[in-house]
Amino acid sequence: MTWNKLDVTEHKGVVTVALNRPEKLNAIDKEMFDELDTISKQLRKRKDIRAVILTGNGGTFSSGIDIKSIVSDKSKILNLLAKLLPGNANLAQRVSRNWRMIPVPVIAVIEGRCYGGGLQIVMGADIRIVAPSTELSIMEVRWGLVPDMGGLLALREVVSKDVALKLTLTGDIITAEQALEFGVVTEVCDQPMQTAQALCAKITQASPDAIAAIKHTTNRCWVSSERRLLAKETFSQIRLLLGKNFQIAVKRQRTSNDIEYKDRQSFW
């Protein structure tokens, strides 16, 4: 598929999805919404990938929704917000929520500005790594709107209620260090892309079944009851123990332990 507003590349099982509208600071127009929805749905179905990196080209993640582009056509607004049932995700919400549905880790690499809809999108990632100069904001209130792109699904898991209210009620722009202190991001570092790639390299060494089960259980049960979490853990573990990837992991670990033991014996 040809992407007009995204830059999609793949290397050793790691897919990098970059917002690719740098001349507009990666502002999100209707076409970018559609492409983000499409690529995230495609990645959810793939069994051959091990991780996804979500980022933006041009030194910034996103300045937010391209308000001028979208409000100029009421049909675009309706298309973004339409849903069959109130509890379903519409197009605007899927570009955040869909990353949670992919059975591999999704790591957001964030630089420059990450405002409004841009921050809603990265909240759908499992891990957020940011450069020190990054600025972040849940900016919708400045436009007289509520943050309605599904980002609150993750925000309620990573920050306290009062912090979430402060960020959403004020629309304040916060620094990378403030975001780390609040819990909005995972890590602040000078080379966020290299850090993300190194993390992906570690992840690809683990059993893909175990990685998928860990992500699924964590996302589905993080705010669930104790009973549901315990039941989900047991169910996932039984499936893993009966799967072929567990036997592969056991064999690899035994080989690693044997080598370590022989090395110790030769040392002494």
Side-chain angles (χ1 to χ4, degrees):
M1 179 174 176
T2 300
W3 306 101
N4 295 320
K5 301 299 174 69
L6 300 178
D7 180 15
V8 182
T9 57
E10 186 171 343
H11 180 67
K12 294 183 177 180
V14 178
V15 178
T16 299
V17 178
L19 309 190
N20 194 29
R21 220 182 160 209
E23 74 284 357
K24 296 290 186 179
L25 296 177
N26 294 326
I28 312 157
D29 62 3
K30 177 58 169 55
E31 188 175 15
M32 186 181 285
F33 269 107
D34 288 331
E35 292 189 4
L36 284 168
D37 187 37
T38 299
I39 186 63
S40 55
K41 287 179 178 177
Q42 289 180 357
L43 294 175
R44 183 180 178 182
K45 297 176 182 178
R46 289 185 57 179
K47 306 296 184 183
D48 60 328
I49 63 172
R50 303 301 309 279
V52 175
I53 293 176
L54 179 61
T55 190
N57 285 342
T60 200
F61 185 80
S62 175
S63 57
I65 294 177
D66 188 340
I67 296 289
K68 183 178 180 181
S69 168
I70 291 178
V71 300
S72 63
D73 186 345
K74 291 184 178 179
S75 66
K76 293 180 180 178
I77 299 175
L78 292 175
N79 188 266
L80 283 173
L81 300 180
K83 58 175 69 178
L84 292 175
L85 295 171
N88 291 354
N90 56 32
L91 174 58
Q93 294 164 334
R94 289 197 301 269
V95 299
S96 175
R97 187 214 60 170
N98 280 5
W99 305 109
R100 297 164 64 91
M101 312 300 288
I102 297 173
V104 300
V106 177
I107 304 169
V109 173
I110 310 167
E111 299 177 286
R113 298 178 185 177
C114 188
Y115 295 164
L119 184 54
Q120 296 280 309
I121 290 171
V122 299
M123 290 310 297
D126 302 300
I127 295 169
R128 287 164 291 279
I129 303 175
V130 303
S133 59
T134 302
E135 295 181 342
L136 307 95
S137 174
I138 303 174
M139 198 169 277
E140 283 80 359
V141 72
R142 296 190 181 194
W143 299 92
L145 301 171
V146 299
D148 66 337
M149 286 175 56
L152 290 180
L153 284 173
L155 191 67
R156 68 179 181 177
E157 297 168 352
V158 298
V159 305
S160 60
K161 179 183 174 183
D162 57 332
V163 169
L165 281 170
K166 180 181 178 182
L167 295 175
T168 54
L169 290 173
T170 64
D172 284 346
I173 296 172
I174 60 174
T175 66
E177 289 297 335
Q178 286 176 315
L180 181 64
E181 180 183 351
F182 291 151
V184 175
V185 302
T186 313
E187 183 176 353
V188 178
C189 61
D190 292 327
Q191 302 292 333
M193 181 58 75
Q194 287 87 333
T195 301
Q197 290 170 341
L199 180 56
C200 288
K202 287 184 179 181
I203 290 169
T204 57
Q205 300 303 308
S207 160
D209 290 346
I211 292 294
I214 290 169
K215 175 170 177 174
H216 181 73
T217 302
T218 303
N219 280 342
R220 292 292 294 272
C221 301
W222 191 252
V223 292
S224 297
S225 68
E226 178 180 301
R227 290 180 62 83
R228 184 178 181 186
L229 175 57
L230 293 175
K232 191 65 180 177
E233 281 185 352
T234 302
F235 177 73
S236 297
Q237 195 73 308
I238 291 171
R239 288 187 60 189
L240 290 171
L241 288 169
L242 296 176
K244 65 178 182 180
N245 279 318
F246 172 69
Q247 301 302 323
I248 294 172
V250 169
K251 184 176 180 180
R252 183 171 62 236
Q253 188 61 38
R254 283 175 177 170
T255 301
S256 176
N257 289 343
D258 289 343
I259 293 172
E260 182 179 355
Y261 176 75
K262 290 177 181 178
D263 287 342
R264 288 179 179 177
Q265 290 295 98
S266 62
F267 175 78
W268 292 108

